[in-house]
Amino acid sequence: MSSPADKSDPFDPLGIAAAMGEWCCLLKAAQELRNVDAEMMDTLLEANAAGPTPLGPEAAAKVRAIANLMRSLNLDPEAIRRREPETMMKLEAACLGCTERGRCARELWAGSAAGTYHEFCPNAARIDRLRRA
């Protein structure tokens, strides 16, 4: 019994068209996975905003860090969450992806984060916009 792959295409003897078709399918699948990943992140952040966090302890600590930084800058994270939920979700998402967790924790603990967050925080520009508002 022969499969479709066994039949050669007289117009594509090297199978380039078939390979390109498979490549396109893989790219579409990758895009779908990226979309699902983004939707899942939004869902997790929305669930976190609504109540107890479904995130693991490390992720929850990262999300709490942004609230602590905001408080150190005299910003009320809960008021911002109510007034601008999308902004808060973006802040938390950036915090989840941050690679400077150790420095952030040290600066927050030392009480110096308000003066140094521009050096390490991926949310610095968003926080500055909130401070000017």
Side-chain angles (χ1 to χ4, degrees), residues 35-60:
N35 291 342
V36 167
D37 189 36
E39 289 176 25
M40 179 60 75
M41 178 61 73
D42 288 344
T43 301
L44 288 173
L45 291 173
E46 286 172 13
N48 184 45
T53 179
L55 304 173
E58 186 175 336

Side-chain angles (χ1 to χ4, degrees), residues 9 22-23 27 30 50 108 118 120:
D9 182 347
E22 290 176 18
W23 182 250
L27 288 175
L108 285 167
H118 285 102
F120 63 88

Side-chain angles (χ1 to χ4, degrees), residues 1-15:
M1 177 162 221
S2 66
S3 70
D6 293 337
K7 297 179 184 176
S8 63
D9 182 347
F11 298 107
D12 187 18
L14 299 176

Side-chain angles (χ1 to χ4, degrees), residues 22-81:
E22 290 176 18
W23 182 250
C24 288
C25 287
L26 287 173
L27 288 175
K28 287 179 185 175
Q31 180 65 39
E32 286 294 320
L33 287 173
R34 186 169 41 190
N35 291 342
V36 167
D37 189 36
E39 289 176 25
M40 179 60 75
M41 178 61 73
D42 288 344
T43 301
L44 288 173
L45 291 173
E46 286 172 13
N48 184 45
T53 179
L55 304 173
E58 186 175 336
K62 284 185 176 182
V63 170
R64 280 193 302 273
I66 190 62
N68 291 335
L69 176 59
M70 292 171 76
R71 285 186 200 99
S72 76
L73 296 165
N74 297 318
L75 292 170
D76 182 355
E78 294 310 315
I80 292 168
R81 184 182 311 281

